[in-house]
């Protein structure tokens, strides 16, 4: 199919899909999980609902489906912006000194989202859930005018049973979400909006509960078993019986175990099936070989004949053993492993917290290159697709709860986290909190004790920890009720705590907090620039080398979690304005390594030689002056050469590395890693000339056309000889064409105030980044062009491949007239202008079409409704359409007759809608024929005129 335009094709696909859905032709047995990311309408800022005055309005808003304002089904959102999720509106805002420094000086505030969904008649009788993976920060959700969910965290997902609120067939359902991002949970950049994925999940009324499968392998007496618990829910009207099949497939996709168990569930109840499978010849999940097993849980109808599949749940798990030892640290599969961990937040340059999974993979791959084997997601749950990546890539996870609070609302967040992630082999620790002032008190101990008990009830296989930065030696403190004591920064406490608390496992849950500006080699505090020489620790932390020495020299310390692995927006420390992001990361906001990246490589990598010359070798104007050169290496010795001449040869301290003072002369500075006289590897930096041309380096050259997959592209400059120019800071403009779009730009500069969304960005110390995303339902070439004044431009062409995606068609808003009242039958023609008392809730009936009245002796009835016209129907070209009226009829609006129907037979009626007030009072007078039914028996719609 040739693409006439992206908009035209998109509309065509939606139209075809909508027809299928209306007819029910798309109905599939079993579970359907459909993306709801496409086609949302967004309004930044709060939408003030009209004041509710008068008895009638007060009565209506107090009823189910009676929402007023932007939560109402008939709200006019015709002027709202259309976008796809995930979406972070805060990152779109310019930096503003008057905004909160901790939140990155970006306005957050309040926003609204709305979406329309049409369901085929064949979905009636199924269980339907609306799922949000994350909304920042507090949120309220309406479906068809009824509040269905309120949530008090930006980090937990929720699954909402919306079945009771839905309509089917031609009716269109409205979903509205009010997001309060004025509320904040953290002291870092949290973003704003529906920033993770959304889903519509359809299942049989007898189904496996969301996150209802617990299948975590354990080792017993030398053999591996898989205890499985499956929660089955029944939202149907009668008790149901079914059978559960649990099939386990190995890393090669072949079945390795299977069991069946019957289950019976009462109506509107749950039941839990428990069974156990043995795993022979296990392939263990490890850091080097993260082997994954697939657990398929299939619910089938019971009976003697062929059984139909009702529901299915599939998840990955892994076979591995973990143990924390008070003397020897952490063990994975019986082997000691030092935790080489980092703490990271969930935002990235250009996209804020709406980070595509492929960009997350890029970030995690970069951390693994650094030698990282463990991640602490600070200080909250991350998106589920990120946890999928840690399982697949072989990274250990400290899974951290956000809110330290055992009250019901917050305990539910902790329970959700454990239920979601308790099957994952990557998770080795549950963390209850980070640096809580109550940690050293009796209150904190009791709070932690209750929260730890909930974790243990849901998952008895993993230890519980918490990040303590005070109170470790108090008489009653939270550390006393956790399994592994986590210490933040208090390196002086390691030995004392170990000595005074024998038998208590210890880890550094957070350390370092050292500052660097990528590519900068001199500190200039007036310019808010900090040197990369690892000589700028915070007042509470240590340099990277000092912090690791404290861990490396203590076998009883399980490991470290460095603050931080990657820079993040907000919490600009040690500076505030104009700095808007952090200096802590070993990697900058765009994913470019700092000097700390290579120092940690030298500390952590054991399977290959590390040798890296720091800094660059562009020091024009400093000829003959000494330049401090550090070589980060895990080799025993390093020889340094300048333009082929030996500068020196020295042993390498495995923690502090090795440094030389080298009089600057342009050319080639080269380090050779040595073991005795044997060369292990070498690295060099070269003096470059002025920038001559741009270079574009995509992380990969192919991406999926599913509207989700994204690729980071590195932008750099080289001189006329092709040598990188690490000091280039020129502005670059971008042009994107073809099957994708630019979704963000960055350069890792914590002091940059350039837009994250504009098609331009300055190189910062030689580098910038563009993030490209394939369009939904697209294929073909995606072209990125980069240009800068006086430089040769660059072009990169990526291939966007067709990628089927299971998404929910976007329905358009329908201006339907509901909320009709109807008079008792009358002998005489009613006055169309008669006043119905606002406090009269009983003399006239209530209902929505079809309003079919049986034959009755008195011929006349009046029907009245308030019509709220959308702006796109109120231009004088619209029409009011009655799909069917039985009887003769007159249609009036605000005392003006719009048209009439003279035939008593069932037929449609269409009357013009003159421009005017957005609110109209409609009155329809219907006269029945003797012995015949009557009424407004079809839908009533305000339809737009020709455009």
């Amino acid at each position: 199919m040739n693409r006439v335009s992206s908009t035209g094709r998109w509309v065509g696909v939606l139209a075809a899909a909508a027809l299928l859905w209306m007819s029910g032709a798309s109905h599939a047995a079993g579970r359907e999980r459909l993306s709801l990311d496409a086609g949302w309408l967004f309004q930044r800022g709060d939408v003030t609902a009209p004041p509710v005055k008068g008895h009638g309005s007060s009565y209506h808003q107090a009823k189910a489906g009676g929402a007023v304002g932007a939560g109402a089904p008939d709200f006019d959102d015709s002027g709202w912006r259309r976008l796809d999720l995930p979406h972070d509106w805060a990152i779109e805002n310019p930096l503003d000194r008057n905004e909160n420094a901790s939140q990155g000086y970006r306005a957050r505030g309040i926003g609204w989202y709305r979406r329309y969904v049409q369901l085929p008649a064949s979905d009636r009788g199924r269980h339907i859930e609306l799922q949000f993976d994350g909304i920042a920060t507090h949120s309220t959700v309406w479906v068809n005018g009824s509040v269905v969910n309120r949530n008090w965290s930006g980090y937990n997902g929720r699954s909402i049973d919306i079945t009771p609120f839905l309509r089917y067939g031609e009716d269109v359902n409205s979903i509205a979400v009010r997001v309060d991002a004025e509320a904040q949970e953290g002291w870092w950049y949290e973003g704003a909006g529906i920033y993770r994925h959304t889903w519509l999940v359809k299942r049989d009324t007898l189904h496996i509960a969301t996150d209802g499968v617990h299948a975590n392998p354990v080792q017993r007496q030398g053999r591996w078993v898989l205890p499985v618990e499956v929660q089955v829910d029944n939202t149907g009207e009668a008790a149901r019986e079914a059978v559960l099949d649990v099939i386990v497939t190995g890393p090669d996709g072949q079945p390795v175990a299977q069991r069946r168990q019957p289950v019976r569930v009462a109506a509107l109840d749950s039941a839990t099936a428990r069974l156990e499978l043995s795993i022979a010849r296990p392939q263990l999940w490890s850091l080097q070989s993260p082997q994954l097993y697939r657990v398929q849980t299939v619910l089938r109808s019971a009976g003697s004949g062929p059984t139909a599949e009702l529901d299915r749940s599939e998840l990955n798990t892994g076979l591995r053993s973990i143990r924390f030892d008070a003397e020897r640290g952490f063990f994975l599969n019986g082997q000691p492993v030092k935790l080489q961990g980092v703490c990271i937040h969930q935002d990235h340059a250009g996209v804020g917290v709406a980070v595509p999974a492929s960009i997350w993979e890029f970030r995690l791959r970069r951390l693994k290159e650094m030698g990282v084997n463990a991640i602490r997601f600070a200080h909250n749950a991350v998106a589920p697709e990120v946890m999928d990546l840690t399982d697949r890539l072989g990274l250990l996870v400290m899974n951290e709860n956000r809110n330290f609070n055992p009250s019901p609302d917050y305990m539910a967040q902790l329970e959700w986290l454990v239920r979601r992630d308790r099957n994952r082999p990557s998770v080795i620790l549950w963390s209850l909190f980070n640096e809580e002032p109550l940690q050293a008190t009796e209150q904190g101990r009791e709070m932690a004790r209750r929260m730890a008990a909930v974790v243990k009830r849901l998952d008895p296989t993993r230890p519980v920890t918490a990040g303590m930065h005070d109170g470790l030696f108090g008489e009653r403190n939270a550390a006393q009720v956790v399994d592994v004591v986590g210490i933040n920064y208090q390196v002086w406490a390691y030995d004392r705590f170990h000595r005074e608390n024998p038998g208590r496992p210890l880890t550094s849950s957070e350390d370092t907090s050292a500052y660097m500006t990528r590519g900068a080699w001199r500190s200039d505090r007036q310019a808010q620039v900090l040197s990369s020489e690892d000589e700028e620790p915070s007042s509470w932390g240590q340099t990277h080398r000092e912090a690791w020495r404290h861990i490396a020299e203590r076998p009883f310390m399980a490991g470290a979690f460095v603050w931080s692995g990657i820079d993040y927006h907000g919490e600009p420390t040690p500076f505030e304005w104009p700095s808007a992001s952090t200096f802590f990361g070993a990697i900058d906001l765009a994913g470019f390594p700092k000097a700390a990246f290579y120092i940690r490589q030298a500390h952590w990598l054991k399977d290959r030689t590390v040798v890296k010359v720091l800094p660059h070798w562009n020091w024009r104007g400093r000829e003959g002056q000494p330049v401090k050169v550090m070589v980060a290496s895990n080799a025993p010795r390093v020889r340094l050469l300048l333009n082929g001449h030996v500068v020196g040869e020295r042993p390498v301290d495995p923690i502090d590395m090795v440094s030389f003072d080298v009089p600057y002369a342009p050319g080639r500075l080269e380090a050779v890693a040595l073991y005795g006289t044997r060369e292990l590897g070498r690295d060099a930096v070269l003096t470059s000339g002025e920038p001559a041309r741009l270079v574009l380096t995509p992380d990969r050259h192919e991406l999926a056309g599913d509207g989700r997959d994204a690729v980071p592209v590195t932008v750099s400059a080289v001189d006329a000889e092709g040598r990188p120019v690490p000091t280039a800071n020129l502005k670059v403009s971008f042009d994107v064409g073809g099957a994708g779009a630019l979704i963000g730009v960055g350069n890792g500069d914590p002091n940059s105030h350039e837009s994250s969304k504009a098609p331009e960005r300055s190189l910062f110390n030689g580098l910038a980044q563009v993030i490209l995303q394939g369009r939904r339902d697209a294929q073909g070439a995606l072209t990125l062009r980069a240009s800068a004044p006086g430089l040769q431009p660059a072009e990169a062409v990526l291939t966007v491949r067709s990628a089927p995606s299971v998404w929910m068609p976007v329905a358009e808003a329908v201006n339907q007239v509901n909320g009709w009242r109807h008079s008792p039958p009358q002998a005489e023609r009613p006055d169309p202008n008669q006043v119905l008392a606002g406090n009269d809730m009983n003399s006239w009936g209530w209902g929505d079409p079809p309003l079919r009245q049986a034959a009755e002796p008195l011929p006349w009835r009046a029907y009245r409704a308030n019509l709220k016209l959308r702006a796109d129907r109120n231009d004088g070209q619209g029409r009011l359409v009655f799909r069917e009226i039985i009887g003769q009829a007159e249609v009036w609006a605000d005392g003006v007759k719009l048209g009439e129907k003279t035939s008593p037979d069932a037929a449609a009626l269409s009357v013009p809608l003159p421009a005017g007030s957005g609110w109209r009072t409609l009155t329809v007078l219907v006269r029945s024929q003797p012995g015949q039914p009557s009424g407004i028996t079809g839908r009533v719609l305000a339809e737009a005129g020709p455009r």
Side-chain angles (χ1 to χ4, degrees):
M1 179 178 182
N2 291 329
R3 190 184 186 95
V4 177
S5 71
S6 60
T7 303
R9 184 174 184 185
W10 183 234
V11 171
V13 169
L14 291 180
L19 289 173
L20 287 172
W21 277 72
M22 287 177 59
S23 68
S26 66
H27 180 91
R31 175 182 299 215
E32 293 179 85
R33 190 168 189 251
L34 307 167
S35 171
L36 265 184
D37 286 350
W40 287 80
L41 301 168
F42 171 67
Q43 172 68 42
R44 185 180 301 175
D46 206 359
V47 179
T48 304
V52 177
K53 296 181 179 180
H55 183 77
S57 297
S58 299
Y59 186 86
H60 176 75
Q61 63 84 34
K63 302 301 180 182
V68 295
D74 60 355
F75 180 80
D76 183 4
D77 52 24
S78 58
W80 287 19
R81 170 185 169 192
R82 187 180 290 270
L83 53 77
D84 289 352
L85 305 178
H87 175 234
D88 174 4
W89 82 68
I91 200 66
E92 300 172 350
N93 294 333
L95 297 176
D96 182 344
R97 188 171 190 163
N98 295 317
E99 295 294 336
N100 188 342
S102 290
Q103 295 287 340
Y105 294 110
R106 295 182 191 270
R108 298 178 74 220
I110 293 172
W112 283 83
Y113 297 83
R114 288 174 59 87
R115 194 195 196 276
Y116 297 96
V117 172
Q118 201 164 12
L119 298 169
S122 56
D123 277 345
R124 186 175 280 111
R126 303 177 81 182
H127 177 88
I128 299 179
E129 278 185 5
L130 177 60
Q131 297 182 354
F132 293 95
D133 287 347
I135 301 175
T137 298
H138 296 173
S139 60
T140 305
V141 182
W142 290 259
V143 172
N144 290 333
S146 290
V147 173
V148 297
N149 181 262
R150 289 188 174 97
N151 190 70
W152 314 112
S153 177
Y155 301 104
N156 67 297
R158 78 294 300 263
S159 300
I160 311 162
D161 177 8
I162 60 171
T163 315
F165 307 96
L166 294 174
R167 306 181 182 114
Y168 304 90
E170 283 192 279
D171 287 334
V172 173
N173 300 277
S174 68
I175 301 169
V177 184
R178 181 183 186 269
V179 181
D180 177 3
E182 289 180 347
Q184 63 183 57
E185 295 177 90
W187 50 97
W188 57 88
Y189 176 83
E190 297 184 278
I194 309 179
Y195 72 98
R196 293 181 185 167
H197 294 302
T198 58
W199 310 91
L200 194 76
V201 181
K202 304 179 182 183
R203 289 173 281 189
D204 192 274
T205 53
L206 187 69
H207 57 273
I208 299 164
T210 301
D211 295 330
V213 179
H214 187 190
N216 184 41
V218 295
Q219 195 173 22
R220 293 184 190 153
Q221 299 176 339
R223 70 186 188 96
W224 283 93
V225 296
L226 180 66
V228 180
E229 293 185 1
V230 184
Q231 178 185 332
V232 180
D233 292 348
N234 180 8
T235 54
E237 299 189 15
R240 299 272 298 278
E241 293 184 354
V243 291
L244 271 172
D245 285 328
V246 178
I247 306 103
V248 182
T249 55
D252 61 358
Q254 296 302 308
V256 298
Q258 182 170 348
R259 283 199 62 183
R260 169 173 285 196
Q261 182 163 314
V263 62
R264 186 180 190 278
V265 192
L268 294 175
D269 203 354
S270 297
T272 300
R274 296 176 174 85
L275 57 160
E276 188 170 284
L277 299 88
S278 295
I279 309 295
R281 297 179 297 280
Q283 299 181 58
L284 299 186
W285 185 95
S286 68
L287 300 175
Q288 297 75 28
S289 181
Q291 302 289 340
L292 293 175
Y293 285 71
R294 190 78 169 162
V295 181
Q296 303 174 48
T297 307
V298 184
L299 186 67
R300 305 182 190 276
S301 58
S304 57
T307 58
E309 182 177 312
L310 302 175
D311 194 13
R312 172 187 294 262
S313 176
E314 298 190 16
L315 58 87
N316 288 330
T317 192
L319 282 63
R320 66 18 170 194
S321 65
I322 60 172
R323 177 169 63 90
F324 284 84
D325 185 273
E327 295 296 330
R328 300 173 60 197
F330 175 70
F331 287 76
L332 178 66
N333 298 326
Q335 300 299 313
V337 173
K338 204 76 165 178
L339 298 177
Q340 299 167 178
V342 293
C343 308
I344 58 174
H345 281 307
Q346 63 173 351
D347 59 308
H348 188 84
V351 293
V353 294
V355 183
S358 50
I359 301 301
W360 264 110
E361 183 172 18
F362 164 76
R363 288 156 59 90
L364 295 180
R365 279 193 283 110
R366 185 58 56 88
L367 289 171
K368 285 206 69 162
E369 291 172 19
M370 191 170 85
V372 170
N373 63 17
I375 306 286
R376 179 189 181 204
F377 290 112
H379 303 285
N380 50 263
V382 294
E385 59 267 24
V386 182
M387 296 302 299
D388 291 341
L389 287 168
T390 61
D391 286 342
R392 182 165 61 83
L393 294 174
L395 287 163
L396 305 169
V397 172
M398 180 192 291
N399 212 335
E400 191 153 284
N401 172 62
R402 170 76 292 271
N403 292 299
F404 184 44
N405 190 331
S407 63
D409 281 339
Y410 295 100
M411 197 73 95
Q413 295 172 15
L414 176 60
E415 291 179 0
W416 163 83
L417 173 62
V418 177
R419 285 172 63 92
R420 188 192 73 171
D421 290 342
R422 60 186 173 177
N423 303 308
R424 299 181 180 279
S426 58
V427 177
I428 61 168
L429 283 165
W430 301 110
S431 177
L432 300 180
F433 63 76
N434 172 71
E435 298 180 359
E436 288 288 338
L438 294 178
Q439 63 199 345
T441 67
E442 182 176 6
Q443 301 141 280
R445 185 182 188 277
E446 286 301 302
M447 293 164 69
R449 189 169 69 89
R450 283 160 171 74
M451 296 172 73
V454 165
V455 174
K456 294 292 189 182
R457 174 174 57 81
L458 294 171
D459 175 26
T461 69
R462 294 176 180 85
V464 173
T465 189
M468 298 274 290
H469 72 320
D470 186 29
L472 288 163
F473 303 102
E475 182 179 356
R476 295 177 68 78
N477 67 79
Q480 295 167 343
V481 298
V482 299
D483 305 304
V484 176
V485 178
I487 299 179
N488 285 15
Y489 300 106
Q490 299 176 89
V491 296
W492 58 267
Y494 294 167
D495 293 334
R496 178 186 169 188
F497 192 93
H498 178 61
R499 182 175 62 251
E500 295 181 7
N501 297 272
R504 300 296 306 282
L506 276 175
T507 190
S508 163
S509 42
E510 187 171 320
D511 60 46
T512 310
S513 276
Y515 308 125
M516 289 184 185
T517 301
R518 177 186 56 76
W521 299 97
R522 286 180 175 178
S523 291
D524 182 345
R525 289 185 171 263
Q526 186 172 355
Q528 302 188 185
V529 172
L530 294 168
S531 169
S532 296
E533 295 177 331
D534 195 31
E535 295 177 351
E536 292 281 4
S538 63
S539 59
W540 62 89
Q542 307 84 36
T543 66
H544 285 269
R545 291 168 291 175
E546 291 169 340
W548 184 243
R549 187 181 294 279
H550 284 289
I551 303 301
E553 294 178 348
R554 290 167 171 80
F556 63 83
M557 293 297 293
F561 288 90
V562 175
W563 194 271
S564 60
I566 306 174
D567 278 336
Y568 51 95
H569 295 90
E571 197 180 6
T573 313
F575 311 114
E576 292 195 355
W577 185 270
S579 300
S581 60
T582 68
F583 295 74
F584 294 120
I587 297 170
D588 74 15
L589 256 173
F592 299 130
K594 302 184 188 180
F597 177 95
Y598 303 105
I599 294 170
R600 291 290 180 172
Q601 271 192 333
H603 288 162
W604 289 346
L605 291 179
K606 305 295 188 288
D607 59 348
R608 64 182 177 87
T609 298
V610 175
V611 54
K612 180 66 178 178
V613 179
L614 303 167
H616 59 73
W617 205 236
N618 277 26
W619 299 103
R620 181 181 298 174
R622 293 186 60 184
E623 286 77 6
Q625 299 178 28
V627 175
K628 183 178 179 180
V629 175
M630 176 192 288
V631 180
S633 182
N634 56 5
R637 296 184 67 79
V638 161
R639 180 185 301 141
L640 192 67
L641 302 95
L642 177 58
N643 294 326
H645 301 287
V646 175
V647 173
E649 182 178 318
R650 294 178 185 173
V652 179
D653 184 288
I655 301 296
D656 286 334
M657 304 293 104
V658 63
S659 294
F660 303 82
D661 285 328
V662 182
Y664 176 65
R668 179 185 183 90
L669 183 68
E670 188 166 24
V672 182
L674 300 170
Y675 181 81
T677 59
R678 182 163 61 93
E679 180 179 324
L680 301 177
R682 59 177 59 204
D683 181 58
V685 289
L686 289 79
T687 305
S688 63
E690 293 299 316
R693 64 182 175 89
L694 296 172
V695 177
L696 296 174
T697 310
D699 184 56
R700 53 194 160 90
H701 287 85
E702 184 178 275
L703 69 163
D706 59 2
R708 292 183 177 176
D709 194 11
V711 171
V713 181
T714 298
V715 187
S716 59
V718 296
D719 67 9
E721 303 300 320
R723 294 169 296 204
V725 184
T727 54
N729 290 286
L730 50 90
K731 179 165 283 189
V732 182
S733 298
F734 306 108
D735 180 66
V736 178
L742 181 154
I743 63 169
V745 291
N747 61 14
D749 179 4
N751 299 321
S752 174
H753 288 197
E754 294 176 297
S755 169
S756 296
K757 299 297 182 181
E760 60 182 17
R761 192 70 169 195
S762 295
L763 299 182
F764 175 62
N765 292 334
L767 299 172
Q769 183 179 81
V770 174
I771 302 178
L772 302 177
Q773 188 170 67
R775 288 196 178 92
R776 188 186 302 271
D777 196 41
Q779 59 182 324
L782 168 57
T783 303
L784 171 66
R785 298 178 181 88
S787 60
L791 271 66
Q792 181 181 337
E795 180 177 291
V797 180
L798 286 71
T799 299
V800 178
R801 55 178 171 79
S802 176
S805 56
V806 184
W807 50 275
M808 187 75 186
V810 180
E812 296 300 327
V814 174
N815 206 160
Q816 185 164 331
V817 187
N818 282 325
W820 290 86
R821 302 199 64 186
H822 51 88
S823 71
Q826 301 177 36
E828 301 296 331
R829 174 181 176 276
D831 179 0
N833 298 315
Q834 65 183 299
V835 176
L836 181 61
N839 60 357
D840 181 357
M841 302 301 150
N842 300 292
S843 65
W844 283 41
W846 300 78
D848 293 332
L851 296 169
R852 184 185 179 92
Q853 313 294 345
E856 45 198 5
L858 302 180
W860 288 95
R861 276 187 189 263
Y863 297 80
R864 177 162 292 173
N866 289 320
L867 167 60
K868 184 179 181 183
L869 268 179
R870 294 171 56 88
D872 53 1
R873 269 75 162 176
N874 196 16
D875 57 1
Q877 303 297 311
R879 299 190 69 82
L880 186 63
V881 177
F882 296 81
R883 290 286 181 82
E884 185 180 78
I885 297 178
I886 302 177
Q888 296 173 320
E890 302 174 22
V891 179
W892 294 72
D894 295 332
V896 176
K897 187 175 181 180
L898 302 181
E900 63 180 318
K901 174 176 172 282
T902 58
S903 169
D905 299 334
L909 175 63
S910 175
V911 298
L913 272 173
S917 169
W919 282 94
R920 315 282 177 91
T921 299
L922 295 180
T923 303
V924 181
L925 307 181
V926 177
R927 181 179 185 180
S928 65
Q929 297 300 300
Q932 299 297 314
S934 66
I936 302 174
T937 52
R939 301 168 81 217
V940 184
L941 306 170
E943 295 186 351
R947 291 289 185 266

